């Protein structure tokens, strides 16, 4: 609910701060007093197009701030704000603000955080509905008629949305499969050759590192072969170093007991023999490890070079060749099994399309039943509004299959016929200003049980009518305001008398400066304003008495 509106430097309004309450609030004033300025100011705050002509002459900037009660849990505006990282704090009112520079450019804020004008407009549409004879959004916009009918009739669109998503997913899967098969088929010759080549080569993951390591070891062995042979010659054989050490140890063993130093020398020789034996064993193992077959080395190098060349050819790493072979083999298998796979996807698509068509048909039946109830509800409101000859209908027509969507396969539009025998046509095309206003009111009353924005504004919806019709409009506005907030700009005393609150819009001049102001009226002032609306420029006793009777009747 709108609680406060603060306007600065908008056309004739220098500074204005207004407070609003629940129920029906009426705004009255003489023609030209500035009622449209007030609505234009609110529209600016709600995200309407920023026209620099709204900035008060001589001022650099205009601004409008609208404050709303904290939206209750589950309100769609909360979800929208969360999705845009503008979540409300608990217990915090919702404050939206718009500034407009005289030289062009505007800025939008939600709770003092910058936002886009588009987001402000979307939030504003969830908070306030503005209805008037020149309103091209709201109830006059056919784009919203289907959603309004669905809400009125409690039509289940969720099942259709799910069926539509499944149908489109099946279409996408089939299209992707067809493209994959077609692409693979175009590459059949290349795939056959590549798979045969890879299969013959049989690459393995990690093979490059293994070949490179073994090759390095064999190359090292080739370099060390001569040195190992020479060292082995020094140790091996009857004339080698190890044999000489053993012979010396045996001879020394026969005389070692003759002197302690000889025993120590023998012990040292024994240790030398042991160390030399270990060295001989290590040399033998090293020789075995480093022994290479030149033919095997050549084969290994050839395999390594071919592996790397094959990887470069296919623009992958050598370790990825095995995976590439598997992928290409799978593509060939897809070609071979493509028709069978496509047939299965086509069958699945047919099932999903049929499921959507059935769900959409069920939704259409629900809409037709809801349309009959809505037409009856609106018809019941037309006679009291002196639209006895008019007829209203909810036209439901099938959409082309290309236009079927998650909300079904129907086009919904509200239509009227204003005279007996006249054809039905969209509301906005054939109704006069006064008739259109009353049609909007009748339709809004019929749809009221389904809720809507917390704040509704009716701009001169009673223009061109009076007497009993104006009383009927006032009655319906009062009924519509129960449990919600309605603001009505009116020229009708019958409507003004039904208000729970009353504000007067007036223009004043000080020298060459003209200003528009708005102020709430107390009971006495309200009676006087309604009397003025009844009698014109000169307020008569009879007008005051009639104003009193209108207020007493409420």
């Amino acid at each position: 609910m709108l609680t406060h509106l603060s306007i600065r430097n908008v056309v004739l309004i220098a500074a204005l701060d207004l407070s609003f309450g629940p129920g029906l609030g009426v705004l009255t004033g003489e023609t030209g007093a500035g009622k449209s300025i007030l609505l234009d100011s609110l529209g600016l705050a709600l995200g309407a197009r920023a026209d620099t002509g709204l900035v008060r002459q001589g001022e650099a900037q205009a601004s409008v701030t609208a404050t709303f009660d904290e939206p209750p849990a589950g309100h769609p505006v909360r979800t929208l704000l969360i999705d845009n990282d503008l979540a409300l704090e608990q217990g915090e009112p919702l404050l939206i603000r718009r500034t407009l520079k005289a030289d062009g450019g505007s800025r939008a804020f939600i709770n003092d955080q910058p936002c886009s004008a588009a987001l402000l407009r979307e939030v504003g549409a969830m908070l306030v509905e503005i209805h008037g004879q020149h309103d091209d959004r709201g109830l006059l916009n056919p784009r919203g008629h289907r959603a309004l009918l669905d809400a009125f009739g409690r039509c289940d669109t969720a099942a259709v949305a799910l069926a539509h998503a499944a149908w489109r997913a099946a279409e996408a899967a089939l299209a992707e499969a067809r493209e994959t098969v077609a692409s693979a088929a175009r590459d059949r010759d290349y795939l056959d050759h590549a798979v045969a080549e890879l299969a013959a080569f049989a690459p393995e993951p990690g093979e490059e590192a293994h070949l490179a390591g073994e090759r390095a070891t064999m190359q090292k062995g080739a370099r060390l072969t001569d040195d190992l042979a020479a060292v082995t010659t020094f140790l091996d054989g009857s004339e080698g170093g190890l044999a000489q050490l053993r012979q010396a140890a045996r001879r020394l063993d026969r005389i070692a007991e003759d002197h302690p130093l000889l025993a120590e020398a023998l012990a040292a020789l024994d240790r030398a023999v042991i160390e030399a034996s270990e060295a001989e064993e290590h040399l033998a193992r090293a020789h075995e490890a480093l022994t290479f077959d030149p033919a095997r080395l050549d084969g290994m190098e050839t395999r390594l070079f071919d592996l790397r060349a094959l990887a470069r050819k296919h623009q992958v790493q050598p370790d990825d060749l095995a995976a590439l072979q598997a992928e290409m083999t799978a593509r060939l298998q897809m070609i071979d099994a493509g028709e069978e796979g496509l047939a299965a996807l086509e069958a699945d698509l047919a099932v999903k399309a049929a499921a959507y068509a059935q769900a959409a048909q069920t939704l259409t039946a629900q809409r037709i039943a809801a349309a009959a109830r809505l037409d009856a509800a609106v018809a019941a409101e037309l006679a009291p509004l002196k639209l006895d000859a008019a007829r209203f209908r909810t036209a439901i027509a099938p959409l082309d299959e290309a236009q079927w969507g998650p909300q079904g396969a129907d086009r919904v539009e509200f239509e009227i016929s204003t005279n007996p025998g006249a054809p039905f046509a969209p509301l906005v095309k054939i109704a006069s200003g006064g008739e259109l206003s009353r049609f909007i009111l009748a339709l809004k009353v019929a749809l009221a049980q389904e809720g809507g924005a917390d704040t509704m504004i009716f701009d001169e919806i009673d223009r061109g009518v009076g007497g009993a019709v104006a009383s009927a409009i006032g009655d319906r506005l009062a009924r519509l305001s129960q449990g919600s907030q309605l603001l009505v700009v009116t020229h009708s005393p019958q409507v003004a008398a039904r208000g729970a609150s009353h504000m007067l819009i007036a223009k004043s001049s000080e020298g060459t400066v003209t200003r528009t102001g708005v102020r709430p009226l107390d009971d006495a002032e309200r009676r006087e304003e309604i009397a003025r609306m009844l009698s014109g420029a000169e307020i008569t006793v009879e007008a005051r008495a009639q104003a009193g009777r209108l207020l007493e009747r409420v």
Side-chain angles (χ1 to χ4, degrees):
M1 183 182 75
L2 177 67
T3 58
H4 297 90
L5 184 65
S6 178
I7 304 172
R8 296 292 183 271
N9 299 321
V10 176
V11 193
L12 298 179
I13 299 176
L16 186 62
D17 294 290
L18 301 175
S19 296
F20 302 92
L24 178 60
V26 297
L27 296 98
T28 64
E30 294 183 358
T31 301
K35 294 185 289 295
S36 62
I37 299 174
L38 192 64
L39 293 181
D40 288 343
S41 299
L42 179 58
L44 181 66
L46 297 175
R49 187 176 69 87
D51 183 353
T52 55
L54 291 175
V55 181
R56 183 175 170 82
Q57 188 174 4
E59 300 294 338
Q61 175 178 285
S63 70
V64 183
T65 302
T67 305
F68 295 84
D69 284 333
E70 178 187 10
H75 196 289
V77 78
R78 279 192 174 274
T79 302
L80 180 61
L81 293 177
I82 290 173
D83 290 343
N84 287 274
D85 298 323
L86 293 170
L88 291 172
E89 296 292 336
Q90 188 68 30
E92 182 181 32
L94 177 57
L95 185 147
I96 60 178
R97 178 164 59 94
R98 189 93 174 273
T99 61
L100 174 62
K101 294 182 178 179
D103 57 358
S106 68
R107 298 186 67 191
F109 303 86
I110 296 178
N111 279 24
D112 292 327
Q113 300 181 64
C115 69
S116 67
L119 176 61
L120 191 69
R121 187 159 50 250
E122 194 171 354
V123 169
M126 293 180 178
L127 296 172
V128 179
E129 291 180 18
I130 299 179
H131 301 290
Q133 51 185 308
H134 303 297
D135 180 24
D136 61 353
R137 299 168 296 171
L139 297 180
L140 298 187
N141 189 344
R143 293 181 182 178
H145 292 178
R146 185 170 61 186
L148 289 169
L149 177 63
D150 288 344
F152 175 83
R154 302 287 201 274
C155 299
D156 180 16
T157 59
V160 174
L162 289 174
H164 182 267
W167 177 27
R168 294 311 183 198
E171 275 189 333
L174 177 59
E176 182 179 0
R178 282 174 172 163
E179 175 58 30
T180 301
V181 169
S183 176
R186 290 192 296 268
D187 299 335
R188 179 68 189 252
D189 292 341
Y190 165 74
L191 290 172
D192 281 334
H193 171 76
V195 168
E197 182 181 40
L198 289 168
F201 193 83
E204 298 178 359
E207 184 177 6
E208 182 193 27
H210 174 73
L211 289 174
E214 191 170 351
R215 170 182 173 235
T217 299
M218 295 181 71
Q219 288 176 334
K220 186 183 296 182
R223 294 195 305 271
L224 298 178
T225 296
D226 293 341
D227 292 333
L228 286 175
V231 173
T232 301
T233 300
F234 289 142
L235 290 177
D236 286 349
S238 58
E239 298 300 325
L242 184 57
Q244 294 293 330
L245 283 175
R246 288 171 177 160
Q247 186 176 353
R250 285 194 297 271
R251 181 167 292 187
L252 184 58
D253 183 54
R254 293 196 294 270
I255 62 175
E257 295 179 355
D258 294 338
H259 195 280
L261 291 176
L262 295 176
E264 293 179 6
L266 177 61
L269 278 174
D270 287 341
R271 291 194 299 273
V273 169
I274 294 172
E275 294 290 339
S277 298
E278 290 182 0
E280 184 181 38
E281 180 181 353
H282 289 318
L283 285 171
R285 290 169 60 188
H287 186 272
E288 181 181 354
L290 294 172
T291 297
F292 75 99
D293 180 358
R296 186 167 182 271
L297 177 59
D298 288 342
M300 190 176 301
E301 287 183 333
T302 299
R303 173 80 178 177
L304 180 60
F305 294 151
D306 289 346
L307 178 68
R308 289 173 174 169
L310 195 59
R312 287 195 298 274
K313 176 180 178 179
H314 291 288
Q315 298 182 339
V316 297
Q317 295 298 317
D319 285 349
D320 295 332
L321 284 171
L324 178 63
Q325 179 186 351
E327 177 186 338
M328 289 182 168
T329 301
R331 290 176 65 185
L332 282 174
Q333 291 172 347
M334 183 177 294
I335 295 175
D336 296 335
E339 292 303 323
E340 181 181 348
L342 290 178
L345 289 173
E346 287 169 352
D348 181 60
L349 175 59
V351 170
K352 299 292 175 53
Y356 173 82
Q358 180 60 48
Q361 184 177 357
T362 300
L363 179 58
T364 299
Q366 293 177 357
R367 283 172 173 160
I368 291 173
R373 297 196 304 273
L374 178 59
D375 293 352
V378 174
E381 297 294 330
L382 297 181
L385 296 173
K386 295 299 183 284
L387 293 169
D388 311 64
R391 291 175 297 154
F392 171 90
R393 76 176 182 186
T394 304
I396 300 176
L399 292 168
D400 294 335
E401 185 172 337
Q403 297 176 294
W404 291 1
Q407 301 304 315
D410 307 310
R411 176 185 292 106
V412 176
E413 186 168 2
F414 300 146
E415 296 179 341
I416 60 171
S417 169
T418 55
N419 297 298
F424 281 93
L427 277 71
V428 71
K429 290 187 177 180
I430 66 171
S432 65
E435 288 176 329
L436 184 58
S437 298
R438 284 175 279 159
F439 266 114
I440 290 173
L441 180 58
L443 183 55
K444 190 63 188 177
V445 170
L447 293 168
Q449 59 181 316
E450 305 311 321
D454 295 331
T455 298
M456 288 177 284
I457 297 175
F458 287 86
D459 179 16
E460 298 187 358
I461 201 167
D462 51 7
R463 173 176 291 185
V465 300
V469 178
S471 295
I473 291 175
D475 290 342
R476 277 148 184 78
L477 289 172
R479 189 200 319 166
L480 197 58
S481 70
Q482 295 175 3
S484 63
Q485 181 187 54
L486 257 72
L487 300 177
V488 180
V489 177
T490 181
H491 290 284
S492 168
Q494 291 89 345
V495 173
R498 298 306 301 265
S501 62
H502 192 150
M503 291 187 179
L504 177 64
I505 304 172
K507 187 186 296 183
S508 62
S509 298
E510 295 179 8
T512 59
V513 179
T514 302
R515 290 185 173 88
T516 289
V518 182
R519 63 184 181 86
L521 301 181
D522 59 25
D523 291 344
E525 292 171 326
R526 186 179 182 190
R527 179 178 281 103
E528 195 72 3
E529 170 62 8
I530 294 175
R532 181 199 64 77
M533 297 171 72
L534 286 165
S535 63
E538 183 179 351
I539 303 175
T540 64
V541 174
E542 291 79 5
R544 290 189 176 95
Q546 179 63 19
R549 285 192 291 270
L550 286 175
L551 290 170
E552 290 172 0
R553 193 181 304 162
V554 176

